[in-house]
């Protein structure tokens, strides 16, 4: 089975109108393509939640601060479409840049609070770009449900806040991070890692899980965070941008894990920036 590809909002809306007329429930899975098992797990989750599943594929220039990162972002639409067919996804919405941002486009959706700090501090404008494109995708599809990965934990919070604040009637579902057998979180950027970097890469998740276990009972997070940062660099990462303990429900900074929490990190491995997050909770919950 092959998935139908639609490139215009007009065609998207007419397809969706026919589904709506039959009373069908619609889910959307926003992606930038280069689909891996993590994305496919989101599609499978969406298939269980709705009658129709739309996967969107748009490499959104407005969320890239770095022109090289945008230019080298993997673009694999044919392979992506081939992966979606067997899962039974109903539509791949892959608009071009002028369809999404026609001449004169002048609106930005900006979410304060949860988009500040963490990645927001190191990627200025990134979450404005995400919130703007995701708002458009929600309005274009009119979906009942949207499925996102917890790998981008801060993004999930930004999207939830945006939908709530703008009264967009959509349920946001977060799905657990999918990992390689050695623990490395799946990411479209992993293909950029050299063989040597690929060997080092899983140490980030390993060190974070170890720190998360210690944080459960620690009276102060800071020494554990400092020790973990040093361990990440000693493992071969070039730089740790941040490693922070935040509340799971609203991302507020925590001095100790005295409420359900996440440990979140971004670190550079050579020229590749990797992010990850782990739950800080009772054994088995990570
Ligand atoms: O997570 C992503 O791939 C992107 O940030 C998203 C949500 C598709 C918006 O471009």
């Amino acid at each position: 089975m092959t998935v139908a590809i639609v490139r215009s909002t007009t065609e998207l809306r007419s397809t969706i109108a026919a589904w709506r007329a039959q009373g069908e429930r619609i889910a959307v899975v926003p992606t930038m393509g280069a689909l891996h098992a993590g994305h496919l797990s989101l599609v499978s989750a969406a298939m269980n939640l709705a009658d129709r599943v739309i996967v969107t594929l748009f490499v959104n220039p407005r969320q890239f601060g770095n022109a090289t990162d945008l230019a080298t972002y993997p673009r694999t639409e044919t392979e992506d479409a081939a992966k979606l067919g067997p899962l039974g996804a109903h539509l791949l919405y892959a608009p071009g840049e002028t369809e999404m941002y026609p001449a004169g486009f002048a609106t930005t959706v900006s979410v304060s609070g949860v988009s500040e700090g963490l990645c927001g501090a190191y990627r200025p404008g990134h979450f404005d770009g995400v919130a703007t494109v995701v708002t458009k995708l929600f309005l274009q599809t009119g979906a009942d449900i949207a499925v996102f990965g917890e790998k981008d934990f801060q993004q999930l919070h930004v999207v939830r806040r945006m939908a709530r604040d703008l009264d967009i009637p959509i349920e946001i579902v977060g799905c657990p991070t999918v990992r390689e057998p050695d623990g490395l979180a799946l990411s479209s950027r992993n293909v950029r890692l050299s063989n040597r970097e690929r060997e080092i890469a899983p140490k980030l998740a390993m060190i974070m899980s170890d720190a998360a276990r210690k944080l459960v009972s620690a009276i102060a997070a800071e020494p554990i965070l400092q020790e973990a940062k040093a361990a990440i660099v000693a493992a071969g990462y070039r730089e740790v941008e941040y490693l922070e303990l935040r509340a799971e429900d609203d991302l507020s900074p925590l001095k100790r894990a005295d409420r359900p929490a996440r440990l979140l990190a971004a670190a550079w491995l050579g020229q590749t920036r990797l992010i990850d997050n782990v739950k800080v909770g009772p054994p088995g919950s990570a």
Side-chain angles (χ1 to χ4, degrees), residues 30-33 39 56 58 60 63 73 126 129-130 133-134 137 148 152 155 159:
T31 83
M32 298 204 298
H39 296 110
T56 73
F58 180 64
N60 175 30
Q63 69 185 77
Y73 199 83
H126 169 69
V130 170
V133 81
V134 172
L137 293 170
F148 291 85
D152 297 292
Q155 167 173 282
V159 168

Side-chain angles (χ1 to χ4, degrees), residues 5 12 16 27 35 90 126 136 142-144 163 175 221 233 235 244 250 255 267-268 270-271 279:
I5 302 180
L12 177 72
I16 292 169
L35 302 184
H90 302 89
H126 169 69
K136 284 179 67 82
D144 303 289
C175 291
V233 172
E244 291 189 30
D250 63 4
K255 292 204 179 312
W268 286 90
Q271 296 307 307
K279 231 183 224 300

